[in-house]
Amino acid sequence: MRFEYQKAQKPKENSVQTGVGTSPLDLKTIGKAIPCQEACPAKTNVPGYIEHIARGEHDAAYRINLEDNVFPGVLGRICTRVCEDECRHNWTNVEGPVQICHLKRYAADHIANTQTPLAPHFGPSGKKVTIVGAGPAGLTAARELNRLGHQVTVLEKEPLPGGMLVDGIPAFRLPRDIVAAEIALIQDGGVTIQTGCAVGASEMSILIEENDAVIVATGTTLSNQTTIDGVGDDETQRFTGLDFMKRYNRGELPALSGNVVVVGGGFTAVDCARAARRLVSADSAVSIVYRRTEASMAADKNEFKAMREEDVAVRTLLSPKRWKTDGSRGILVCERNVVKAGDTRRKPAIETLNESEVEIPCDVLILAIGQRSDPRILPNGIELDGIRTSKENLFATGDFEGTSADVITAVASGKKTAQVVDTHLMGQTRYVEGVRVETTDCDGETGRFRDHDIQWALPMPMLDVVGRFENQAEVETGFTPEIAQVAATRCYLCQYKFEIDQDLCIHCDWCIQAAPRECIKKAAQIYCDDDGFPTKVFEAELSKDTTFIYIDNQDCIRCGKCLRVCPTQAISMKRLSRIGCVKLDS
Amino acid sequence: MPKKLTFTRRSEDEDIKAAGLFLDFDEMAKKGAMQADDSSIAKWYGIYKSRQPGNHMARIVIPGGVITSAQAKNIAGIAEKYGQGIVNVTTRQALQFHWLKVGNLADMLRELGEYGNSTKHGCGDVTRNVTACPLAETCAYRRLDARAAAVEMAEFLGMCRDLDDLPRKFKINFSGCGADCAQPHINCVGLSGVIHNGVPGYKVVIGGGMGWKPFVAESLFGFVPHNKVKQVCRAVAILFREHGDRFNRAKSRLKFVVHRKGIDFCRTEVISNLHTENVSSDDIIVEPVTDEGVPFSLRPLLDDSPQGTDGQHTVRVIVPKGELSFSTFYRMAELSERYANQRVYTSNRQNLQFQGVAPSDVKALESEIRALGYQTSGSFTLSDIVSCVGTTYCPKAVTQTRALFDIVQRVVGEPRYESIAQSGVINITGCPNSCSPYRIADIGFRGMRIREESGSVEGYEVLLGGSQTAFGQKLGEFKLSDCEEMLRLVLNAFVAVRISDEFLTDCVNRVGLGYFEKAVYGEI
Ligand code: SF4
Ligand code: SF4
Ligand code: SF4
């Protein structure tokens, strides 16, 4: 045929034009399109729920969260917010990331009172699963396995389910009714929780016999220790972080007297310090002593602010060396550290300076320097191997299988474990993750425009310091509807993805001229990895070298201008959403 | 600069407009540069940025396409002084200068003004140049004088300060009869002369347009008496002002209002706008009326130098690419003084014409024109190719249309195509904006780039069989280097099946596009 032209193959970004794709390409594309969701260990559909919040649809927003991260009300308060670090709305001129976490809480605070459990994925399988430990990971695995049709029982040795949610985190950060409601929702779905039920290695052996699968979800219960010269065994003066928080949370601690020092830089350290502040008199000093700098601490901006307001001193680059008394007052003698030159990691190596002692008043010492799991629950001869163990029907999840991490990581682990266990129980993989691709027909309008991008991030309202210490009142009071509206409309809604149909594009460059950023590139070549995912774009200077006009989703702020100026309707706006459970046909 | 947040759903252009439609070109000359926001507002003054950074284009508004010889001489002088000696004729009967420098704009505007020439509202979101059909006041078929009406309309709407900030441009044209030589169907408002019950007036269609999403205009009124047409157009402009999309500029034009809201809604609005301004709509007829004038032909008059009803002739100058040197343009003004009615006319095929030429002067004028190197015959024929300026000046263009112009001109000029010379027109546009309306031509070319294994080359989307009321059908996309061969294949195929003096478009409709596809691509 005359005039038949050879053209470079066009890069693909999804395996399907519309519908559900489950190829690695689909997952990579959505990962690039929605960085916050990709960063979230549990792959929470952040823009999906933020879009609902912006429209005032709190229940819908809550249900998305419920699906993805299981404990929206909880995580909306205490999540470590790795998503916000990756948020696209982080250019220097737009006031930092979207307040994803606070918005999650806002939706959870504004739902209708009655929530029903999520619908099951599969009908009853007749399989029996017992999970030991009712912390976030165990409860997540329980809920998921229950939705997959299995009969699930959770055994908890403490009087209340929730694990670290009730024994670790203080109520002034996480009110207990929130935890209880979200656990109740899991029970409503059909999960049985038995509390006060300690399990040791021998009970474990029986459970392994009696169940189709058993999951250890006992978390990290042993505190790391260090010896500091001069510190005695006096139980009113010396605590581990875990123990201190557990007793604080149960109201078992008396008022403390004297100055308090918490050693450590993790979440527990900060919680201990703030809890201690609520147990000492106003003239006592409460300090955190940490060996690295503030930048390496787990606490976020709000927590530092709260500590400042509550008069908790944060003393960094110090390592405790010995404890002594000076008359009636105790003193912790520390040595100074310096960050090793040139180490730019988040947790850099440090070196101790000799002859550099610093004295900090310290009558009560709390060591919150980490915790680890207790392997004694495993019957003799059984070895841990990630989620699996050397025993075919015994699995592990959460902190027990990994290292001590945050709640969202535990949730992610619980979900992952549930899938592995389901495959074991059913003898086949029944579902995979996928991406729903939808076309839109709205001229590239996501419902927001440029003014929304440049709103200021408003701070989380907090209780006045005066009166804050009464009754374990929650310090952060939550977004008002006005603040939530601002916060929600700042999000670019990255689930909307703009792409150019290379067969329609005539290289007019109008989109490039209209674009607010360098989001659209003239590409000489686009290289893809084995999954077909574009990994490198070689840019062209001249029209003759331009093979493709290419939208780089990394730099796209979803303004839709390109779509609206394109004279050939080559640009379309897709809507991507990640689906956790795409059923496979057997 | 911190931006004020308004949360109004409007485009950035609207924000700029809201800041004020005023520019001080003298100050700008002192500063020596035009700011980004200024260049948006400069459009209201008829000034546009060129493809070449630092250069500008100015568009002189010529309502009805007529200027006096003195005005023409003034324009020639300005072109020499500021515009590198070049004058361009546009398809909307305006004239353009290119290569203007910021420092000269103020002086240029002043000097133009001395002769009543103006670039005001040459571009921008306003009523643009009001155009008229080519023969207008002298045409044998005319129901009324379209040119005079166009001039009056331009004056009237130009004075309506409340129509200075429309959502987008607003185009009106007048045809003296239903032959519709002024192309009413591709304009925002198209008016065609009719006589009803002995009263001259207009049939009014609205919402046509080319561009990336073309629409054929729909009938608003079957009959509007001639003395009410200004108010009706104003009422349409108000409809547009109130309902045009101010967020998405690509969908702002009146055609989208008509498409979105429907013609009935628009009609009701227009009537109510009339009533608000105390204009009665009693003598306006919605349904089509029977036209009482003399019968007309459906294609424009192809005769060379046709004689008008006044006994005088119209002599045409085919201006290739619509471009003339300042000295030629000056000479045209002189010729109009010597042989014609001391006026120079522009046409919507980027040509010039003289009117009021005495029968005895026709030959002399024609030979004077030929002596300047221009043809006087062939208007509205295959060789009367209309091409936009393309990448030569236009920042929006994708292709160098003039290169294709040369190819097409050479091909259609070959002796073997003499027999089909009058069988249609060819339009070439460098981008989908369609400054040269390629969809309504018998053969239409639209610039694009075609991707190769690596890189891309210039090419064209080619449409066959377009007309004002039914757009051309896509034959395919061709690299520039293939256009010559493709065009020959199309014309050969046409020659082979043409019945008597059939137009190409009629032939495409008769034998079907498939026939031409086979001829071009070969048997598949
Ligand atoms: S802008 Fe919204 S969707 Fe995009 S990364 Fe940030 S929170 Fe996620
Ligand atoms: S929508 Fe288009 S113009 Fe806007 S940021 Fe994304 S790629 Fe750029
Ligand atoms: S505006 Fe459309 S046709 Fe033009 S380069 Fe961009 S995608 Fe291609």
Side-chain angles (χ1 to χ4, degrees), chain A residues 498 515-516 519-520 551 556-562:
Chain A
F498 289 81
C519 43
I520 312 180
I551 293 180
C556 168
I557 58 171
R558 279 66 177 163
C559 73
K561 281 191 185 172
C562 55

Side-chain angles (χ1 to χ4, degrees), chain B residues 278-341:
Chain B
N278 293 321
V279 181
S280 124
S281 58
D282 293 350
D283 46 1
I284 293 174
I285 302 170
V286 172
E287 297 75 32
V289 298
T290 2
D291 180 15
E292 295 152 9
V294 294
F296 49 81
S297 81
L298 271 174
R299 288 255 177 165
L301 271 176
L302 296 175
D303 319 3
D304 291 346
S305 309
Q307 192 172 26
T309 48
D310 53 357
Q312 308 295 309
H313 289 258
T314 296
V315 175
R316 289 151 163 158
V317 186
I318 308 296
V319 184
K321 301 167 192 172
E323 188 162 283
L324 306 99
S325 74
F326 76 96
S327 54
T328 314
F329 196 73
Y330 193 88
R331 182 72 191 132
M332 296 293 172
E334 287 183 337
L335 291 177
S336 80
E337 289 171 352
R338 166 72 183 76
Y339 297 104
N341 61 359

